Amino acid sequence: MHMADLGDVRLHYRIDGPDDGVPVVFANSLGTDLRLWDPILPLLPAGLRILRYDKRGHGLSTCPDGPYTMGALVSDAEKLMDLHGFKDAFFVGLSIGGLIAQGLAVKRLDLMRAMVLSNTGAKIGTKQMWDDRIAAVQTGGIEALGDATMERWFSKEFLKTPDLELWRNMLVRQQVEGYAGCSAAISGSDFYATTATLRLPTLGIAGSEDGATPPDLVREMVDLVPGSQFHLIRKAGHLPCVERPEEFANTISAFMRATGHI
């Protein structure tokens, strides 16, 4: 656990694996912190140097005044990778993390060898939807969205398990300003034109029961990138790395090998 001072924000991050390991970066979803990836890390190949971090306003990172822009979130990832020498990396982004991945690939292709865009889109939702969600959070706190968010995030099967409380607690304990700030960044992002210019190995992953970014949205996005691949994880919602960690880990590990990253 470390903090990186990037000027207007200090990001909590963690690096696991050998100093000379193969670089891999994980960017997680709105309302979660870097622990999102805990279920899959033990299932990944040995010899990786893994960077994961809490977005601004999330987890143990500081919370600048919002609203945030996607440009700022992309810049945060860029600075953190530059700081620790993560070039030619395998980048895995989920939800807002997938938007960050797309923006970073356009801005700094030297930082990315391949990317996995999980449960995300070139554009997610509408301005009105995000305006309504931001207003609800600012009025009633994140707790006001807790139950509805769980229903979007998880399959009907997972909603019945005790582990649901872990992820609900993680969500509602984020900072309101951080959640609202990142929601504004998503609202202002439309990467259809720019993602279509990308020419790097790309894998899209979707959950069959994802109520936030349905499979068709993910497929539409990855189809913008020539030669991209698509994988559907059944009986999983918005966070398949939580519900189906073995399949998620095996899928991205196979893509690492297919792209020559390992």
Side-chain angles (χ1 to χ4, degrees), residues 174-213:
Q174 302 300 329
Q175 299 188 62
V176 167
E177 189 70 25
Y179 184 96
C182 286
S183 294
I186 298 173
S187 176
S189 299
D190 183 340
F191 286 154
Y192 277 102
T194 51
T195 294
T197 69
L198 293 174
R199 300 293 183 269
L200 80 163
T202 301
L203 168 67
I205 296 178
S208 65
E209 298 185 39
D210 187 348
T213 52

Side-chain angles (χ1 to χ4, degrees), residues 40 56 89 98 136 151 183 205 243 248 261:
I40 69 162
R56 56 174 60 204
E151 292 177 3
S183 294
I205 296 178
E243 292 195 71
F248 192 94
H261 199 63

Side-chain angles (χ1 to χ4, degrees), residues 55-181:
K55 291 178 300 301
R56 56 174 60 204
H58 284 67
L60 300 181
S61 293
T62 59
C63 187
D65 292 339
Y68 309 149
T69 65
M70 187 55 62
L73 298 180
V74 169
S75 180
D76 289 346
E78 174 189 15
K79 291 175 182 177
L80 193 58
M81 291 175 71
D82 278 338
L83 184 64
H84 294 287
F86 276 77
K87 291 188 180 295
D88 203 27
F90 186 92
F91 198 106
V92 183
L94 193 151
S95 194
I96 190 175
L99 289 169
I100 292 169
Q102 293 170 71
L104 184 63
V106 170
K107 183 179 183 183
R108 290 286 306 277
L109 192 57
D110 61 302
L111 295 180
M112 298 173 65
R113 179 189 184 106
M115 64 180 178
V116 175
L117 303 176
S118 179
N119 304 80
T120 188
K123 178 177 173 58
I124 301 174
T126 64
K127 184 179 185 302
Q128 187 61 56
M129 184 199 86
W130 288 110
D131 285 349
D132 291 346
R133 193 172 298 180
I134 290 168
V137 167
Q138 290 176 334
T139 301
I142 300 176
E143 177 65 41
L145 302 180
D147 292 341
T149 301
M150 292 302 100
E151 292 177 3
R152 287 194 301 271
W153 278 10
F154 294 112
S155 67
K156 293 179 181 178
E157 180 181 329
F158 192 85
L159 289 172
K160 300 174 184 176
T161 68
D163 281 353
L164 178 71
E165 190 171 6
L166 296 172
W167 302 99
R168 195 183 191 285
N169 285 344
M170 182 183 289
L171 169 69
V172 301
R173 292 175 186 178
Q174 302 300 329
Q175 299 188 62
V176 167
E177 189 70 25
Y179 184 96

Side-chain angles (χ1 to χ4, degrees), residues 5-40:
D5 189 344
L6 304 184
D8 67 328
V9 66
R10 293 184 298 282
L11 294 187
H12 168 235
Y13 70 94
R14 176 167 177 158
I15 296 177
D16 293 285
D19 290 343
D20 61 349
V22 177
V24 179
V25 180
F26 287 95
N28 46 277
S29 57
L30 178 67
T32 68
D33 59 43
L34 58 74
R35 293 174 294 175
L36 176 68
W37 308 107
D38 283 352
I40 69 162

